[in-house]
Amino acid sequence: MMSSVDTHEKAKVAEKASSIDLASPPEYTDVEGGQTRTLKRQLKNRHIAMISIGGVIGTGLFLGTASALQDGGPIGLLLGYAVVGTICYAVMVSLGEMVAYLPIPGGHIKLAERFVDPAFSFVMGWNYWYNWVIILPAELSAAAVLINYWNQSVNNAAWITICLVVTVVINMFGAGVYGECEFIFASIKVITITGLIILGIVLDLGGGPNHDRLGFRYWKNPGPFVQFNGIAGSKGQFLGWWAVMTQAAFSFIGTEIVAIAAGEAKNPRRNLPKAIKRVYVRILLFYIGGVIIIGLLVPSNNPDLNLRTSDAGKSPFVIAIKNAGIKGLPSVINAALLTSAWSAASSDLYTSSRALYGLAMVGNAPKIFTMISRKGLPYVSIIFCALFSCLAYMGINAGSGKVFGWFANMTSVAGLMTWFGIAVTYIRFYKGFKAQGFDRSKLPYASPLQPYAAWYAMVSCLVICFAILWMESVPQGPLGPRNIYHELFASRPLPHSVCWS
């Protein structure tokens, strides 16, 4: 009799497993005043493809690598980006499997509520929102740094304001316009980084106007590693490598934007798996290839790499082209890099507003943020998130390069915790799927690396976060409280009673 019951239960499980609905994704709606409004699926296949490949390739790669090269040296730079790249890929295959099956508004935030716990989703959602509203002013500060290459006489507030207005206007026109703009911007970025890598190879082999064959010269002198903060020996080199990990995390964070865009993507169960499979192209070609070229062309002790000075910081690519003696091209490349800052800022506002909308939809944020226009635009969330971009104006006093560095470090930890949450969510998804007797091969996308990739990502993110927090706890660190206080208020002293003890 027991055998008969077991057979009946197995039959029910098998029937349930075969009934997974992969035909059409679920829709989430907002009912307001008797009218049902939803986020409109306006993002086409080409939009999703370019967003996944180049949507958030921005100042982290083009500008932030300056600080990373200065802190870690060419080998430290390469190793740091390689390690974080493997973590990024592990996170994306985990996220891709879940979001291709359930492409819902809120992305991994909503999935965390379903597969882990509402409290976990609450924390993960607000951390993700914080991450993106802080990245936004970082990108605006970076745009000001890039513009300073041409003109340092105009106050940075003017450049920040212009970039901010463009970013807000793009997002207020809806997901369709955002997708078209991102398609154009991302195409420019992909063409730019591909051209820079090819040009870098030519320059390294002596094909520039000065015919100086660099080879691996800078890997020997000033050396493959940098003694971080002047700390001698292997300890200083190790800390330099960890400093690169912080910047590398800032560069890679944002790959998961595909999950947020899933709620507004057309035919997500066909298009999202394709986008996920293209992630390795972005990691290997653009990031790993880019940092190798940077390490070959620019010495780690070049003073122009220091974004913390009051001078106009330059992209390592621009420095390399200028050193090669190519006239006119540095300005063209700098202009292309400026569009990447605009593009990344637009993606930041899009993602933060959709994350806030997703939080509100599940009751983790005030209901006012669920308000949608007739065209499916969460305008209240967009306006609220855009207000935080005003933090970029701190650069007027402290310098946009310094402010960019602060925000980059702050968002690195938040982004890594988001990746940690995605890995945890997938592990619960995997175990639940297995317990229900479902066949993963029937999913729109299934990675053969699971569940090991998710476990690797979860442990690695925790280790890096603890190491970053340890480094930043040093008073002389870039995020040390005394450093930030003195940079912001040294020229405007406050009463002694409110100063740091």
Side-chain angles (χ1 to χ4, degrees), residues 158-499:
W159 309 128
I160 292 171
T161 302
I162 293 172
C163 294
L164 175 58
V165 170
V166 173
T167 298
V168 173
V169 168
I170 290 174
N171 276 268
M172 290 303 288
F173 275 106
V177 173
Y178 162 76
E180 289 295 340
C181 291
E182 277 306 295
F183 180 81
I184 296 171
F185 283 142
S187 299
I188 294 174
K189 287 187 286 187
V190 169
I191 294 172
T192 300
I193 188 63
T194 303
L196 287 172
I197 291 174
I198 296 173
L199 177 62
I201 296 173
V202 173
L203 295 179
D204 186 66
L205 297 177
N210 56 10
H211 301 293
D212 183 14
R213 189 180 186 280
L214 297 175
F216 291 88
R217 178 188 305 171
Y218 299 134
W219 288 35
K220 299 177 182 178
N221 183 24
F225 292 96
V226 171
Q227 305 301 141
F228 184 74
N229 277 357
I231 301 173
S234 58
K235 180 180 180 181
Q237 296 176 352
F238 177 78
L239 292 177
W241 174 59
W242 273 109
V244 172
M245 300 275 274
T246 305
Q247 179 57 49
F250 174 77
S251 299
F252 280 105
I253 287 167
T255 314
E256 71 280 355
I257 190 177
V258 174
I260 296 295
E264 296 174 89
K266 294 182 178 180
N267 198 0
R269 284 184 171 146
R270 179 175 66 88
N271 295 332
L272 289 178
K274 293 181 180 179
I276 298 297
K277 292 175 182 178
R278 297 186 184 104
V279 169
Y280 78 93
V281 175
R282 172 183 170 182
I283 295 173
L284 292 178
L285 177 61
F286 301 145
Y287 284 99
I288 304 302
V291 298
I292 290 175
I293 295 300
I294 289 171
L296 292 174
L297 298 182
V298 183
S300 58
N301 59 0
N302 190 306
D304 287 334
L305 294 173
N306 190 2
L307 300 180
R308 304 179 186 99
T309 64
S310 57
D311 300 326
K314 304 179 184 70
S315 165
F317 293 106
V318 176
I319 295 173
I321 295 171
K322 187 177 179 180
N323 291 344
I326 303 176
K327 297 181 179 179
L329 187 57
S331 291
V332 175
I333 297 301
N334 205 63
L337 303 189
L338 181 59
T339 64
S340 75
W342 251 322
S343 168
S346 179
S347 294
D348 298 342
L349 183 55
Y350 172 84
T351 308
S352 61
S353 62
R354 269 47 175 196
L356 184 58
Y357 171 81
L359 284 167
M361 285 294 294
V362 297
N364 290 337
K367 190 177 180 180
I368 189 174
F369 296 120
T370 63
M371 293 182 65
I372 303 175
S373 69
R374 294 179 180 178
K375 295 183 179 181
L377 180 71
Y379 59 94
V380 176
S381 294
I382 292 175
I383 294 172
F384 180 75
C385 293
L387 294 176
F388 287 85
S389 60
C390 295
L391 291 170
Y393 290 104
M394 289 194 301
I396 298 172
N397 183 38
S400 291
K402 294 176 183 176
V403 173
F404 171 76
W406 297 341
F407 287 136
N409 286 327
M410 292 165 66
T411 54
S412 293
V413 176
L416 287 169
M417 292 312 299
T418 293
W419 286 2
F420 168 81
I422 291 172
V424 171
T425 302
Y426 178 81
I427 291 171
R428 298 305 304 160
F429 168 81
Y430 180 88
K431 289 186 176 180
F433 215 78
K434 187 176 181 180
Q436 294 294 327
F438 292 154
D439 184 4
R440 288 180 60 245
S441 64
K442 294 183 179 180
L443 290 171
Y445 173 77
S447 171
L449 301 176
Q450 298 296 1
Y452 309 107
W455 280 102
Y456 166 70
M458 183 184 72
V459 174
S460 299
C461 288
L462 273 182
V463 171
I464 296 175
C465 280
F466 279 120
I468 290 175
L469 292 173
W470 173 73
M471 291 182 66
E472 301 299 352
S473 66
V474 180
Q476 293 82 8
L479 275 182
R482 293 182 184 274
N483 276 0
I484 291 183
Y485 169 78
H486 286 295
E487 293 291 353
L488 284 175
F489 303 114
S491 62
R492 298 169 187 169
L494 296 178
H496 179 73
S497 59
V498 296
C499 292

